C-alpha cells in the first residue's frame, strides 16, 4: 500500500477537532460563538480605557430554525483594514501573544466560530471595523482556506467615515440550537455584567431582550505587558529569549536583569553564584550551558515573587457594585487578595459573599466562578472552587443552611491553570487553593460581623414589640391602683423602655465596631 505523507494546517487541525475549542454540538457551539465575540469586544474596549458598549443580536433564519445568526457590535479600538482578513480567517493570528491578563490568549477563538459557520452553513463571516485614528470604515466578507490556513476575501469595501464611530461589528451564521442554548447565553451575559460593572450590554434574541446598563464609569487599571518570571522558563523559551536579545556581547548577569521579571542586580549575582555558572557572554553560550541555566533557574529558591502589574483584578469596590446590581442581595462582603504566584505565574484571587435580599434559600452556596473576567458556566463539579466551598465550615460564619448565600470567585492570572482543554474548570493548584480558601474565610468573617449585627437588631426589635404590648396593660393596672392618669404612666413607662433599649443599642454598636476592627486586622 502506498503511504501519502503530508502536513496538516492549523486550520485543518481545528476543523477536525472542533470539540477541543468548545464547538461540539449546536447548543454548545452557539454559546461558544457568542462568548468568543463578546470576549473579543470586551478586550478591545476596556484594555484601551474605553467604557464598553456591547450589543449582541441573535436571530433565526426564516427557512430553517437551526440556522442562527449572531451579530456582535462594539465601540472598541477597531482593527486596521489590512489586518482584518488575517485576524478573522487565519488560525493563530492575533495581538494577545504577550504576557498580560486578557480574555483571549491563543489567537484562535473567533476563527473557531468562523470555521464552524463555514462547515455548518457555508456562510462567510461579515466584519465591519474602524479604528479611532483612521478616517475610513472597512467592510469584509471572509472565509478560511482550511488546507492552507489563509484568508479568502470574498468581498471588500472601504468607505469614508461620516461620523466619529470606531469599533467592530462581526456577524456569523451558524448551525445552532437557540431554544436549548438560550438559558446559558442569558446567564453568560448576566454574569459578564456582574464582573464588568463598567460595561453596558444588550442582548436581543428571537424571544428575549435583556439590557444591563453600566453602574460605574470606573474601569480597572489595564494590565501592563510583563516579562517572564525566571522560575517558569524552560529550555526552548530560554533559547528563544536569548535569540531575541539584541546585544550578544552582553553577559549573563545583564541578560537576566533585562529579560526577566523581578530580577535586579543583587538577585542576578546571587543566582549565578548559587548556580556556579560563569558570567559568560551570550554569544559564548553552548546548548549545554543553556540547558543547565534553565534547570538552575527552576531550582533557585530565592527568586522574588512575580510582579502583578500584568494583572487587572476588579478590586473590592467594583466587585461589590457588580454583585449588588446583578444578584440584589441585602449584604455583600468583597475581598481582593494580594498578588501571589504559582510556577512563575502571578495570580490574584477575588471573592465576594452575597447574602439575603433577592437570593433564594439554598442547601449549599450558589457558586459563581470567573477566570480573567470570563464567567465559567460548565464543569462546576470539577472546579477547585466547588471543592473549597464544600469544605468550608460555614457555621463558623453564622451561616446555617438553607441560607440565601452566593459565593463569587474570580481568579486573574497571566496563565489560568485550566483543567483540560474545555477551559471551563480551574485545576487544583495548591497555591491557588490556599488563596481562594483564605479569601473566602476573610469575606466570611465580614459576613459573620454583619449577621451578628442583624441578629442583635432583631433581638432588640423583639424586645421593643414585647414592651409595647405590655405597656398599656401595666399602665392600666397601675392607674387603677394609684389613681394616676393612665396616659402619664404610659408616658413614663415608654421613657424607661427607651432608656433600656437605648443603652443596649449603644452596647450593640460598640460590639459591632469591635467585630469589624477584628476583621479589618
Ligand atoms: P484572541 O482573542 O485569543 O487573540 P481571536 O481569534 O479571538 O484570538 O482574535 C484575534 C485577534 O483579533 C485579537 O487578538 C484581536 O487583536 C483582534 N480582534 C478580534 N475581535 C476584535 C474586536 N471586536 N475588536 C478589535 N480587535 C479584535
Ligand atoms: Mg478571542
Amino acid at each position: 500500500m502506498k503511504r501519502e505523507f503530508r502536513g496538516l494546517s492549523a486550520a485543518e487541525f481545528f476543523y477536525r477537532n472542533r470539540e477541543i475549542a468548545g464547538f461540539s454540538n449546536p447548543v454548545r457551539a452557539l454559546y461558544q460563538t457568542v462568548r468568543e465575540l463578546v470576549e473579543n469586544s470586551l478586550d478591545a474596549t476596556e484594555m484601551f480605557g474605553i467604557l464598553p458598549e456591547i450589543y449582541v443580536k441573535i436571530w433565526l433564519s426564516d427557512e430553517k430554525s437551526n440556522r442562527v445568526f449572531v451579530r456582535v457590535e462594539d465601540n472598541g479600538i477597531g482593527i486596521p483594514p489590512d489586518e482584518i482578513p488575517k485576524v478573522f480567517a487565519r488560525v493563530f493570528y492575533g495581538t494577545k501573544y504577550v504576557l498580560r491578563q486578557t480574555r483571549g490568549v491563543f489567537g484562535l477563538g473567533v476563527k473557531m466560530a468562523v470555521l464552524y459557520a463555514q462547515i455548518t452553513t457555508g456562510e462567510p463571516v461579515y466584519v465591519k471595523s474602524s479604528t479611532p485614528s483612521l478616517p475610513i470604515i472597512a467592510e469584509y466578507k471572509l472565509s478560511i482556506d482550511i488546507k492552507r490556513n489563509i484568508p479568502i476575501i470574498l468581498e471588500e469595501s472601504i468607505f469614508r467615515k461620516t461620523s466619529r464611530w470606531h469599533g467592530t461589528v462581526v456577524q456569523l451564521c451558524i448551525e445552532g440550537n437557540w431554544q436549548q442554548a438560550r438559558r446559558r447565553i442569558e446567564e453568560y451575559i448576566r454574569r459578564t455584567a456582574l464582573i464588568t460593572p463598567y460595561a453596558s450590554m444588550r442582548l436581543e434574541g428571537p424571544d428575549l431582550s435583556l439590557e444591563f446598563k453600566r453602574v460605574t464609569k470606573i474601569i480597572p487599571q489595564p494590565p501592563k505587558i510583563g516579562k517572564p518570571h525566571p522560575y517558569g522558563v524552560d529550555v526552548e523559551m530560554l533559547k528563544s529569549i536569548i535569540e531575541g536579545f539584541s546585544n550578544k556581547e552582553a553577559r549573563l548577569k545583564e541578560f537576566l536583569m533585562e529579560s526577566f521579571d523581578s530580577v535586579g542586580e543583587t538577585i542576578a549575582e546571587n543566582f549565578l553564584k548559587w548556580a556556579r555558572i560563569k558570567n559568560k557572554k551570550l554569544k559564548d553560550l553552548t546548548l549545554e550551558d543553556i540547558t543547565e541555566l534553565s534547570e538552575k533557574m527552576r531550582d533557585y529558591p530565592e527568586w522574588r515573587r512575580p510582579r502583578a502589574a500584568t494583572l487587572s483584578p476588579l478590586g473590592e469596590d467594583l466587585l461589590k457594585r457588580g454583585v449588588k446590581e446583578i444578584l440584589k442581595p441585602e449584604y455583600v462582603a468583597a475581598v481582593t487578595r494580594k498578588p501571589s504566584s504559582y510556577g512563575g505565574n502571578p495570580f490574584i484571587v477575588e471573592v465576594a459573599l452575597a447574602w439575603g435580599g433577592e437570593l433564594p434559600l439554598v442547601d449549599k452556596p450558589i457558586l459563581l466562578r470567573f477566570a480573567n473576567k470570563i464567567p465559567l458556566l460548565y464543569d462546576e463539579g470539577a472546579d477547585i472552587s466547588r471543592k473549597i466551598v464544600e469544605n468550608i465550615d460555614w457555621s463558623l460564619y453564622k451561616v446555617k443552611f438553607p441560607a440565601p448565600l452566593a459565593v463569587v470567585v474570580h481568579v486573574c492570572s497571566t496563565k489560568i491553570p485550566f483543567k483540560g482543554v474545555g477551559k471551563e474548570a480551574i485545576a487544583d493548584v495548591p497555591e491557588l487553593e490556599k488563596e481562594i480558601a483564605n479569601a473566602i474565610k476573610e469575606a466570611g468573617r465580614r459576613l459573620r460581623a454583619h449577621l451578628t449585627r442583624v441578629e442583635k437588631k432583631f433581638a432588640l426589635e423583639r424586645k421593643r414589640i414585647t414592651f409595647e404590648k405590655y405597656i398599656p396593660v401595666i399602665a392600666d393596672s397601675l392607674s387603677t391602683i394609684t389613681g394616676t392618669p393612665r396616659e402619664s404612666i404610659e408616658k413614663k413607662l415608654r421613657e424607661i423602655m427607651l432608656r433600656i433599649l437605648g443603652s443596649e443599642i449603644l452596647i450593640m454598636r460598640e460590639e459591632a465596631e469591635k467585630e469589624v476592627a477584628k476583621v479589618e486586622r
Side-chain angles (χ1 to χ4, degrees), residues 155-332:
E155 280 175 37
E156 176 180 28
S157 57
I158 307 267
F159 43 94
R160 279 196 100 53
K161 262 202 257 198
T162 52
S163 68
R164 295 167 62 91
W165 178 76
H166 59 85
T168 303
V169 179
V170 183
Q171 186 179 312
L172 285 162
C173 175
I174 62 167
E175 185 187 304
N177 183 331
W178 166 251
Q179 279 321 320
Q180 284 185 42
R182 182 197 143 126
R183 259 199 45 240
R184 290 271 177 176
I185 293 175
E186 202 180 330
E187 188 59 18
Y188 170 79
I189 298 287
R190 207 169 78 92
R191 292 197 194 180
T192 303
L194 184 154
I195 207 75
T196 47
Y198 45 87
S200 284
M201 269 185 301
R202 202 146 61 90
L203 166 64
E204 258 171 45
D207 45 9
L208 168 83
S209 172
L210 203 63
E211 182 164 15
F212 296 99
K213 289 231 165 73
R214 70 174 57 87
V215 291
T216 170
K217 288 190 171 167
I218 302 169
I219 306 183
Q221 188 80 30
K224 297 200 172 67
I225 295 178
K227 301 175 192 167
H229 190 273
Y231 182 80
V233 177
D234 57 32
V235 183
E236 272 316 302
M237 194 165 163
L238 193 56
K239 263 202 285 189
S240 83
I241 298 175
I242 292 173
E243 258 158 44
F245 200 82
S246 52
N247 178 11
K248 298 286 188 300
E249 291 292 322
R251 291 186 182 270
L252 264 181
K253 187 176 103 180
E254 187 191 334
F255 165 74
L256 288 171
M257 285 165 59
E258 277 194 29
S259 305
F260 297 98
D261 177 35
S262 305
V263 181
E265 183 155 15
T266 327
I267 292 192
E269 277 168 7
N270 290 348
F271 164 72
L272 290 175
K273 216 183 293 162
W274 173 89
R276 297 173 193 212
I277 291 179
K278 282 205 205 84
N279 192 14
K280 280 192 186 173
K281 284 187 179 169
L282 283 196
K283 61 170 192 192
D284 300 332
L285 290 177
T286 63
L287 186 58
E288 286 81 65
D289 289 338
I290 296 176
T291 311
E292 191 192 355
L293 184 62
S294 138
E295 278 164 10
K296 291 279 163 61
M297 280 167 82
R298 193 161 320 166
D299 293 341
Y300 186 54
E302 306 281 322
W303 295 123
R304 255 189 282 140
R305 276 180 175 194
R307 263 179 292 218
T310 49
L311 305 182
S312 173
L314 212 52
E316 292 179 3
D317 189 47
L318 287 188
L319 182 58
K320 233 185 215 175
R321 285 204 212 183
V323 171
K324 269 196 183 141
E325 178 65 19
I326 301 299
L327 302 180
K328 307 220 174 343
E330 161 206 307
Y331 174 79
V332 187

Side-chain angles (χ1 to χ4, degrees), residues 40-41 44 74 78-79 87-88 93-96 104-111 168:
N40 280 350
S41 290
D74 66 55
I79 306 147
V87 147
F88 287 94
Y93 194 84
T95 49
K96 301 173 198 165
V105 275
F106 295 133
L108 173 67
V110 75
K111 274 77 84 176
T168 303

Side-chain angles (χ1 to χ4, degrees), residues 433-461:
E433 183 168 347
K434 198 172 123 212
E435 275 300 301
I436 295 174
N438 281 342
I440 294 179
K441 287 176 190 163
E442 201 178 327
R445 288 192 291 273
R446 289 186 201 175
L447 176 63
R448 186 184 61 202
H450 168 75
L451 294 179
T452 307
R453 255 183 324 244
V454 171
E455 221 169 54
K456 295 226 166 113
K457 222 163 86 188
F458 270 117
L460 272 181
E461 188 55 19

